[in-house]
């Protein structure tokens, strides 16, 4: 059974940094594109970043580009999101997700992701 478990969410001050991680089990990790998504209270879940199987293709939402960095460790079955220069509007529950792919792509719609973690809360205060 595939399982994704996020960790690292906490409360930080605006301008600070935080790293959230996701550990995967029960799936052939290197065959999956991985993504980070977030959902703020009263808002739709939205795309944050995605990374291809090899890590060679990465995509970011415009709102986080140049502030956030997604990475993966295929030896440890983990994916991480380094978040710098955090803003109050980054406050949300952050979810990692995985989708089985046959090409080295990071460009996939949110609806294609089959496996989701339970989420980790990130709160940024001003």
């Amino acid at each position: 059974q595939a399982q994704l478990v996020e960790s690292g969410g906490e409360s930080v001050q605006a301008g600070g940094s935080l790293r959230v991680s996701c550990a995967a089990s029960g799936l052939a990790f290197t065959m999956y594109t991985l993504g980070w998504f977030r959902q703020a209270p009263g808002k739709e879940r939205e795309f944050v970043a995605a990374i291809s199987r090899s890590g060679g293709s990465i995509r970011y939402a415009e709102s986080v580009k140049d502030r956030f960095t997604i990475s993966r460790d295929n030896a440890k079955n983990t994916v991480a999101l380094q978040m710098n220069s955090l803003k109050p509007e980054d406050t949300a529950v952050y979810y990692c997700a995985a989708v089985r792919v046959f090409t080295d792509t990071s460009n996939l719609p949110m609806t294609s992701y089959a496996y989701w973690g339970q989420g980790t809360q990130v709160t940024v205060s001003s």
Side-chain angles (χ1 to χ4, degrees), residues 32-71:
Y32 285 76
T33 288
L34 304 169
W36 283 98
F37 299 82
R38 67 186 182 186
Q39 187 166 19
K43 295 189 176 181
E44 300 273 322
R45 189 172 298 190
E46 64 177 6
F47 168 76
V48 176
I51 186 167
S52 66
R53 290 164 44 176
S54 72
S57 174
I58 290 175
R59 196 166 61 94
Y60 295 100
E62 283 297 322
S63 60
V64 306
K65 198 173 290 186
D66 299 325
R67 297 190 298 122
F68 290 12
T69 302
I70 188 172
S71 61

Side-chain angles (χ1 to χ4, degrees), residues 15-30:
S17 298
L18 191 63
R19 182 180 178 89
V20 291
S21 298
C22 174
S25 60
L27 50 79
F29 191 74
T30 58

Side-chain angles (χ1 to χ4, degrees), residues 62-106:
E62 283 297 322
S63 60
V64 306
K65 198 173 290 186
D66 299 325
R67 297 190 298 122
F68 290 12
T69 302
I70 188 172
S71 61
R72 65 188 292 164
D73 186 334
N74 284 345
K76 296 182 179 179
N77 288 8
T78 58
V79 58
L81 186 68
Q82 176 67 42
M83 302 181 286
N84 298 328
S85 302
L86 283 160
K87 305 175 182 179
E89 51 264 44
D90 295 319
T91 295
V93 177
Y94 283 72
Y95 299 90
C96 71
V99 53
R100 180 79 151 79
V101 294
F102 296 92
T103 60
D104 198 38
T105 179
S106 61

